[in-house]
Amino acid sequence: MERAFHLPQGAPERIRSAGFGGCTLATTELSAVQMRALLARLRASAPRSTAAERAATLARAARRFLDADDPLRRRAADALSALTGFSRPMIEDALPRVFTPLADPGALARAAGTAQPVVGLLGIVGAGNVLGVPLFKTALALAAGAACMVKPATGEPLLSVLFAQALSEADPELAAALAVVWWPGGAAGSAGCEAEFLSGVDSLIAYGSDGAIASLAPRVRRFVGHGHKLSIGIVRLDADADLRLLAAAAATDIALYDQLGCLSPQSLYTVGGDAESRGVFVDHLAAALDDLARRWPAGEASPSQALAIRRLRDEYEWRGLSGESVSLRTGAAGATWTLVDDPTCGFRPSPLHRTIFVRRLETLDALPRALGEWLPRVECIGMGPQVDRALSTLGIPRLAPLGCMQSPDLGWRQGGCDPMAGIIAGEAN
């Protein structure tokens, strides 16, 4: 049985099994006293090797997950599909996106390099089921010389544990500065452990809903919170580009992680072109989504999300029948994707699970007005050819080519924050 924990020293006193998605994992129960002792051990084990040596070790551990024959890579692929609900082929294609940035020791050393002091002990709280959410910050913290305590997400509690195992095999001394422990956040039985964790770390980086972020912020000394974000894509139809290739790239960003990540586009905006070229792009996008439905079978939506998708489909079917210039396309042979062709310029959140709005802008200058109150929520814009880099003046943290939206590098300024925010000692962010 795989574990939802990794402890650098000694075996835990209490182990029990718990269900996660379609898997059962071993978990450990730590009392407040045990958590306090664990944090003290981590703090005392802050890495003493050079930054270059730490980066090289971390990269060596990450490269194991790029080798399809490595036992840790196979264990990850075997378990993550049942844990997250994503298909096995999607997991296999997603793992290189997670680990390739971490497998470059030079890039890791540069990203983590700082003349400023770092915190002694960093806490990280994960969220959701997108693969490896805590891993970038874990690697940056260890490379910079901080110890790290990770609480992984219920939706994906495994990958940080397997990475910690790879690190312990590569360099036990560096791995002694890392612990990974899952517990049910907010549960009465975990209150003492959680309180000790929050009060014992020097800084906390947390991912989650806006409500979860707001509840954590007052409980720690230094805090960086990453709450609800969304992303969009832009396709210039008046550019000299292959619309079939652009549609395939956009479909990849939509389908990966079933559109559940903050870097997943919820709307695509076409700019320029005529009705014919727009129709060609929409046709190609529908075909690409169908192809990916076969390559990456979609996971099952929750009842509430399935109902929201059904209601959206009903709405647009009626609007089309009423004479509006909108149309709806859905997956063939039961493929669970939804394409809403709505050539107006607004924005509304998608119910996700591969539900994409294709909208239209007269010019790129109209984008801020189209997004309205949602503009501060936009984390990434996926771009086709000749999209103006002046979009960076909108304060969007990430601009990326379509097809690569969900493959950030270590320099990603998530939420507009410096990648080392929370790791560098100083004022709260």
Side-chain angles (χ1 to χ4, degrees):
M1 182 188 301
E2 295 286 0
R3 302 181 189 179
F5 66 89
H6 177 87
L7 299 175
Q9 297 178 12
E13 294 182 7
R14 300 180 63 185
I15 296 179
R16 66 179 182 87
S17 61
F20 297 84
C23 272
T24 299
L25 302 184
T27 65
T28 182
E29 296 179 355
L30 298 182
S31 67
V33 172
Q34 290 168 326
M35 176 59 76
R36 189 181 312 127
L38 172 59
L39 298 181
R41 289 199 304 272
L42 290 171
R43 192 181 295 278
S45 301
R48 296 178 178 84
S49 52
T50 68
E53 289 170 339
R54 295 192 296 268
T57 298
L58 289 159
R60 190 160 66 251
R63 282 195 291 272
R64 295 191 59 180
F65 296 89
L66 301 179
D67 179 359
D69 295 324
D70 189 280
L72 281 176
R73 161 70 181 254
R74 291 201 303 269
R75 283 167 59 190
D78 288 344
L80 284 169
S81 181
L83 279 171
T84 63
F86 302 135
S87 68
R88 172 67 179 260
M90 183 188 292
I91 296 293
E92 294 281 8
D93 286 350
L95 284 170
R97 293 174 181 259
V98 175
F99 284 101
T100 295
L102 302 178
D104 182 341
L108 187 55
R110 288 190 296 273
T114 175
Q116 297 175 264
V118 298
V119 299
L121 178 57
L122 173 69
I124 301 176
V125 174
N129 62 346
V130 172
L131 300 194
V133 167
L135 284 176
F136 272 28
K137 299 303 183 185
T138 301
L140 288 173
L142 292 171
C148 197
M149 169 73 200
V150 179
K151 179 185 181 298
T154 301
E156 199 286 271
L158 181 63
L159 206 50
S160 289
V161 173
L162 294 180
F163 181 71
Q165 291 180 21
L167 191 60
S168 67
E169 294 175 22
D171 183 349
E173 182 178 349
L174 181 57
L178 172 62
V180 183
V181 181
W182 175 89
W183 64 86
S190 304
C193 168
E194 184 164 284
E196 197 65 44
F197 165 65
L198 294 175
S199 64
V201 297
D202 297 322
S203 178
L204 183 72
I205 298 174
Y207 303 84
S209 67
D210 290 348
I213 295 301
S215 69
L216 285 171
R219 303 178 64 188
V220 292
R221 283 172 279 184
R222 297 185 183 92
F223 183 70
V224 176
H226 296 290
H228 176 62
K229 292 286 187 174
L230 56 90
S231 294
I232 62 169
I234 294 176
V235 177
R236 294 208 68 134
L237 298 179
D238 53 0
D240 183 16
D242 186 322
L243 294 183
R244 185 188 300 274
L245 291 179
L246 279 180
T252 296
D253 289 324
I254 295 163
L256 188 64
Y257 302 130
D258 290 343
Q259 210 181 14
L260 299 177
C262 70
L263 298 176
S264 303
Q266 297 190 25
S267 284
L268 295 176
Y269 292 89
T270 63
V271 181
D274 54 20
E276 181 179 358
S277 61
R278 193 172 189 282
V280 169
F281 174 75
V282 170
D283 287 343
H284 287 322
L285 182 60
L289 288 169
D290 244 359
D291 287 343
L292 280 171
R294 290 185 286 270
R295 177 178 158 196
W296 295 340
E300 186 175 352
S302 70
S304 61
Q305 289 171 316
L307 178 60
I309 294 168
R310 179 67 265 169
R311 286 175 171 170
L312 181 73
R313 290 181 175 186
D314 289 344
E315 174 193 338
Y316 272 89
E317 285 174 355
W318 280 109
R319 287 173 63 175
L321 290 171
S322 300
E324 292 189 49
S325 57
V326 300
S327 64
L328 178 76
R329 305 192 191 196
T330 58
T336 52
W337 58 265
T338 304
L339 191 163
V340 176
D341 182 4
D342 183 346
T344 60
C345 66
F347 178 84
R348 64 190 280 187
S350 165
L352 310 180
H353 286 275
R354 311 192 192 191
T355 302
I356 187 71
F357 293 92
V358 182
R359 296 185 176 274
R360 185 175 184 276
L361 298 175
E362 291 291 340
T363 67
L364 278 178
D365 293 339
L367 181 61
R369 183 176 179 182
L371 292 170
E373 65 180 356
W374 295 97
L375 178 59
R377 297 278 190 180
V378 177
E379 183 67 29
C380 178
I381 296 179
M383 304 180 297
Q386 300 181 30
V387 171
D388 195 338
R389 283 277 171 180
L391 287 170
S392 60
T393 63
L394 299 179
I396 308 299
R398 174 168 164 75
L399 303 177
L402 286 170
C404 300
M405 293 176 67
Q406 304 201 63
S407 301
D409 59 24
L410 291 166
W412 174 23
R413 299 180 64 87
Q414 188 172 7
C417 297
D418 186 289
M420 294 294 287
I423 301 171
I424 296 172
E427 296 297 323
N429 291 277

